[in-house]
Amino acid sequence: MRTPWYIYTPLSIIVTLLTLYICIKDKDTVTPPTHQETAQDVASWKKNNPILKNTTPLKKQKIKPTPQTPKPITPKPTPPSPPKTIAKIKIPEIAPALNSLTKQKLNTKQLTHYALQMQKNGKPQLARIAHERIIDSASDATPEHKKQAASAIISLISQTPLWNPDPTTRKKITININTHKQHTPTIKQLIPKLENLIFNASDGTLNPTITIKSTTNLTANLNLGTPNSNIAFQINTTPETAIHTAIYKAIRKKHSLTSSTTHTPTLPKHITPKQALQSYITRLTWRIAAQ
């Protein structure tokens, strides 16, 4: 037989409330528990839970901050300094003069740059003039700079035509050699070669004449040359090298007395005196020596 709902529902509510009343009728649910009661309850709970039986509260530990290693400061890259501008050298519209670039007071770097640009642009004559200015004009030129310039001049000779092909406009230069009579015949035989050397070294700008004055006294005054001679020197030996050396030193001395804007280096030792006449004495120096 099925019990109707209107019977079991009230009975269920009455049983639940009666049970609750019997459980709490003797207990104080209003007054909070004392510390002792709370401790007893906690101990009883721990006893029934062995995992937490011996657990003690952890003390708060102060966590020291881990010192951070400062990140290395990467220096900002220094911007490269702008390259020094090289002064522009005006290219002459007409054939240049032998004294080109002497008045601009250019340094070795500028002259070298100019020479390389001219050679690259198919203007070897202008390149050769720039190298000559390194030798006789650049105040900052070192012996190594002059050595490189002289080497460049030698290589450019074959690429440049004769500077002055017109015989009627060549300057005359007379070189008088004072020597002992015993050396006169040998030196006379060298005169054509010496004159040809000077003609080529001056690039056709000079028409040289070499004369010999024989003497028995080599201490004679060097001015015993002909009245019209530009250069006079004495020599007491006959090898060509000695004569080339004497000519170089005589040209250099004349140049130092005549020009205040250009100069001639001392005789280099890494090449022969003959090669020095062809490269270290510039064409402008040869013209000055003929004055």
Side-chain angles (χ1 to χ4, degrees):
M1 179 177 181
R2 186 176 181 182
T3 305
W5 67 271
Y6 50 83
I7 295 176
Y8 70 76
T9 300
L11 287 174
S12 299
I13 296 173
I14 293 171
V15 171
T16 303
L17 292 175
L18 183 61
T19 304
L20 182 62
Y21 171 75
I22 294 172
C23 291
I24 67 172
K25 68 176 182 174
D26 296 326
K27 291 187 179 181
D28 186 1
T29 59
V30 177
T31 305
T34 63
H35 292 292
Q36 184 178 3
E37 292 174 341
T38 302
Q40 289 176 355
D41 291 339
V42 171
S44 176
W45 182 81
K46 287 183 179 182
K47 185 177 180 180
N48 297 325
N49 295 274
I51 296 176
L52 300 175
K53 186 175 181 180
N54 298 322
T55 302
T56 55
L58 295 174
K59 292 183 179 180
K60 290 185 178 180
Q61 296 180 352
K62 292 184 179 180
I63 302 175
K64 295 182 179 180
T66 304
Q68 296 182 353
T69 305
K71 294 182 179 180
I73 300 175
T74 304
K76 294 182 178 180
T78 304
S81 56
K84 294 182 179 179
T85 56
I86 298 177
K88 291 184 178 180
I89 305 173
K90 187 177 180 181
I91 302 175
E93 297 179 357
I94 58 175
L98 282 177
N99 63 350
S100 291
L101 309 179
T102 56
K103 296 180 180 180
Q104 297 186 41
K105 297 181 180 179
L106 302 171
N107 59 35
T108 303
K109 184 177 181 179
Q110 292 170 326
L111 289 168
T112 302
H113 177 76
Y114 178 77
L116 293 176
Q117 289 298 315
M118 293 303 99
Q119 193 166 355
K120 183 179 179 180
N121 294 335
K123 300 181 183 296
Q125 195 65 268
L126 293 175
R128 184 175 172 183
I129 286 177
H131 286 301
E132 288 179 329
R133 295 296 81 83
I134 292 175
I135 290 177
D136 64 19
S137 297
S139 59
D140 66 334
T142 64
E144 184 61 27
H145 290 147
K146 295 178 182 181
K147 179 180 178 180
Q148 294 173 358
S151 178
I153 289 171
I154 294 295
S155 66
L156 287 170
I157 288 176
S158 60
Q159 303 177 37
T160 52
L162 200 64
W163 181 267
N164 183 18
D166 186 0
T168 62
T169 59
R170 292 171 186 156
K171 283 186 171 292
K172 294 182 179 181
I173 182 172
T174 302
I175 299 176
N176 183 251
I177 301 176
N178 296 295
T179 186
H180 197 278
K181 287 183 178 181
Q182 64 178 349
H183 301 310
T184 300
T186 305
I187 295 177
K188 278 185 177 181
Q189 293 179 357
L190 295 175
I191 286 179
K193 293 174 63 175
L194 295 173
E195 290 177 342
N196 187 60
L197 172 63
I198 294 172
F199 175 83
N200 290 327
S202 69
D203 217 14
T205 61
L206 299 185
N207 185 15
T209 300
I210 297 178
T211 63
I212 299 176
K213 186 173 183 62
S214 300
T215 180
T216 56
N217 183 11
L218 287 181
T219 60
N221 193 316
L222 293 184
N223 293 326
L224 291 178
T226 60
N228 296 325
S229 64
N230 301 97
I231 297 172
F233 60 88
Q234 66 181 18
I235 190 168
N236 59 0
T237 185
T238 54
E240 284 187 76
T241 301
I243 298 175
H244 294 155
T245 300
I247 293 176
Y248 186 98
K249 291 181 178 180
I251 294 293
R252 180 174 183 267
K253 182 178 180 181
K254 175 68 180 292
H255 188 199
S256 65
L257 296 174
T258 309
S259 175
S260 59
T261 57
T262 57
H263 58 272
T264 300
T266 57
L267 182 66
K269 297 181 180 180
H270 66 280
I271 55 177
T272 65
K274 180 180 179 180
Q275 291 172 322
L277 289 171
Q278 296 168 318
S279 56
Y280 273 73
I281 293 185
T282 64
R283 293 170 295 178
L284 178 59
T285 300
W286 283 111
R287 287 287 301 269
I288 293 173
Q291 295 177 0

